[in-house]
Amino acid sequence: MSGRPKRKAVSNTETKAKKARGETELSYDPLWKNEGVLNGSSPLITLTSESLDGASKVAGFDVDFTVIRTASGRTFATGSDDWLFWHDVVPEKLKELHGKGYRIVFFTNQAGIEKGKVTPQSFKDKMEAIIKELDVPVFVFASTGTNHFRKPSTKMWDFFVKNCNKGVQVDKSLSFYVGDAAGRKKNWAKDKPKDFTCGDRMFAHNIGIKFYTPEEYFLDEKAVPFEWRSLHPLDFLKSNPPITKQEDNASYHSKSQELMVMVGLPASGKSTFRQRYLEPHGYVAVNRDTMGTVEKCIKVAKETLKAGKSVVVDNTNPSVSARANFIQLAKSAGISCRCIWLKTPQELAHHLNMFRQNQTQGKVRRVPGVGYNMFKKNFEQPTKGEGFSEILELDFKPRFDSKSDKELFEQWTLD
């Protein structure tokens, strides 16, 4: 990387003052928007322009340590002015792309906004200062947290294509994405640390466009070995071919009233299981995620059993103590209590965790890593000695209700 490019830093104060005077900071008509507002916050911030035509060729870039780096040398910027171009050639390369008819788009994860470490306004000021120095039109799409827009999910790209490209179809064979999260191993170059994730490479792969690291694209360096570091969804489906709804003749319900206790990691498929195989047969689900407390689940389960209906307890239920109250309820009601243990591997459960968030457009948020750690810490294998009449140990079996669900499952995901 080169030294500091010759430029005059633009401070937040100066930027705001120019805005107050009606002076545009960008070389085109900019339009900032907060998109997809959910629960009072915006998971996506966009910068587009109504005055620019759509483009069939897209040059996508990550921002941090791809287009820019910190002037301070720190991993995280100390403020909106703490930046330099990643290399002197960056502005020149982007100008060339603009001259060739490419729409230049920054697709960036900015989890610091959700964490409160970066304000939306300081992020916008920084982007405007960068684009002003580039002196070419740039669109910006920023995921503000660990939400359904976060790379490697394609939803930022999808939003751009559907809503911000004037109906012009993008030619993926001519488009590409550049990013530093490429899964490279430690010492991929002399004294270089390993890449923190493979998310940028996954993002390009999920879209179906070419991928380059900054070194490959800006400096013409050769590609180096990398690791995906995540469940390979296509390989998983090759080893576990999906079944269709018509082929799925499995039956898990009881003809007699019972209480069913489910056990499994977060996002292991418990809710889908009970919705497919139990609720159509009259089982009533109790779930702490929707009811709030274990006490409320127990109360509703007790009332449901008194009404003569079967109950399924859809919680992770990792420990003997977590299961004991429900087993006692069944015993008091004089009915059997069975256990469904979904033995979904943790790597697959992580994939399903992100799949579910993306599938629901963020309405169901991902379970944070602490949820998996707590399950592992508290897990005790269910046994008949606890009072279960039967324990069914089941592996995850893929079944998709739509083509779009299957295509979404096939995308790389990343916690």
Side-chain angles (χ1 to χ4, degrees), residues 138-411:
V138 177
F139 283 8
V140 178
F141 294 81
S143 167
T144 61
T146 309
N147 56 57
H148 54 298
F149 286 105
R150 185 173 176 81
K151 295 178 297 182
S153 166
T154 64
K155 292 191 181 296
M156 282 196 287
W157 171 277
D158 298 337
F159 188 92
F160 157 70
V161 171
K162 181 179 179 181
N163 301 289
C164 310
N165 203 37
K166 302 289 182 68
V168 176
Q169 184 175 353
V170 174
D171 187 339
K172 292 184 180 180
S173 69
L174 298 176
S175 301
F176 60 88
Y177 186 72
V178 182
D180 66 309
R184 291 168 293 187
K185 302 177 183 179
K186 184 178 180 180
N187 293 322
W188 57 266
K190 183 176 173 55
D191 298 326
K192 291 287 188 180
K194 74 174 185 178
D195 292 338
F196 61 100
T197 73
C198 197
D200 287 331
R201 191 185 297 272
M202 290 175 174
F203 179 62
H205 186 276
N206 287 343
I207 295 168
I209 57 178
K210 296 184 186 70
F211 173 78
Y212 303 98
T213 64
E215 291 79 9
E216 292 166 12
Y217 185 74
F218 291 118
L219 306 180
D220 296 321
E221 293 184 5
K222 292 182 179 180
V224 299
F226 71 94
E227 298 172 334
W228 290 109
R229 306 179 197 166
S230 184
L231 176 83
H232 195 315
L234 291 177
D235 282 354
F236 174 80
L237 292 180
K238 286 179 183 178
S239 303
N240 302 270
I243 61 172
T244 64
K245 183 177 181 180
Q246 291 70 29
E247 294 170 333
D248 190 358
N249 55 9
S251 177
Y252 300 100
H253 67 282
S254 172
K255 293 181 180 179
S256 304
Q257 186 189 19
E258 69 168 349
L259 190 147
M260 177 82 79
V261 175
M262 304 199 75
V263 175
L265 284 162
S268 58
K270 299 183 298 297
S271 296
T272 298
F273 181 93
R274 53 100 168 162
Q275 288 166 0
R276 284 179 177 169
Y277 302 113
L278 300 177
E279 288 185 346
H281 298 280
Y283 286 67
V284 175
V286 296
N287 184 301
R288 191 169 59 183
D289 291 340
T290 56
M291 295 182 177
T293 65
V294 173
E295 290 72 22
K296 182 66 179 296
C297 290
I298 293 171
K299 180 176 182 292
V300 173
K302 187 175 183 179
E303 293 171 352
T304 303
L305 292 178
K306 283 185 178 180
K309 298 179 181 179
S310 291
V311 170
V312 53
V313 184
D314 179 13
N315 297 320
T316 58
N317 297 313
S319 64
V320 172
S321 60
R323 302 185 286 261
N325 285 329
F326 296 105
I327 295 172
Q328 183 59 44
L329 277 182
K331 184 178 180 180
S332 299
I335 61 175
S336 66
C337 185
R338 288 195 295 159
C339 174
I340 293 285
W341 178 15
L342 294 186
K343 302 178 73 174
T344 306
Q346 183 162 318
E347 187 179 43
L348 176 57
H350 279 302
H351 182 74
L352 292 169
N353 189 26
M354 302 308 292
F355 166 81
R356 180 173 63 184
Q357 177 173 266
N358 296 341
Q359 181 192 41
T360 62
Q361 303 292 320
K363 292 179 181 177
V364 178
R365 285 295 303 266
R366 61 181 273 280
V367 177
V370 65
Y372 291 89
N373 295 336
M374 290 299 294
F375 181 91
K376 184 177 180 179
K377 177 182 177 181
N378 296 322
F379 180 71
E380 296 172 298
Q381 181 174 325
T383 66
K384 283 189 175 181
E386 297 175 57
F388 290 119
S389 61
E390 183 181 20
I391 298 171
L392 298 177
E393 300 181 20
L394 303 177
D395 295 323
F396 179 82
K397 184 179 294 184
R399 191 191 105 184
F400 303 105
D401 294 330
S402 66
K403 180 181 178 182
S404 61
D405 280 353
K406 181 174 182 293
E407 290 174 346
L408 188 60
F409 182 91
E410 291 172 347
Q411 292 188 8

Side-chain angles (χ1 to χ4, degrees), residues 70-136:
T70 58
S72 64
R74 298 185 179 184
T75 301
F76 299 103
T78 59
S80 60
D81 295 331
D82 183 18
W83 66 272
L84 299 170
F85 284 119
W86 182 81
H87 193 281
D88 287 338
V89 301
V90 171
E92 174 188 340
K93 284 274 193 176
L94 268 58
K95 284 184 173 67
E96 288 178 2
L97 288 168
H98 177 61
K100 293 177 180 178
Y102 277 87
R103 170 69 64 242
I104 300 170
V105 186
F106 294 167
F107 294 101
T108 176
N109 290 342
Q110 295 292 324
I113 294 176
E114 183 177 73
K115 295 174 181 177
K117 295 180 179 180
V118 179
T119 68
Q121 188 57 54
S122 66
F123 168 74
K124 293 175 184 179
D125 290 344
K126 184 175 182 178
M127 292 302 102
E128 290 192 14
I130 294 167
I131 297 169
K132 183 186 178 187
E133 293 230 9
L134 289 171
D135 197 27
V136 293

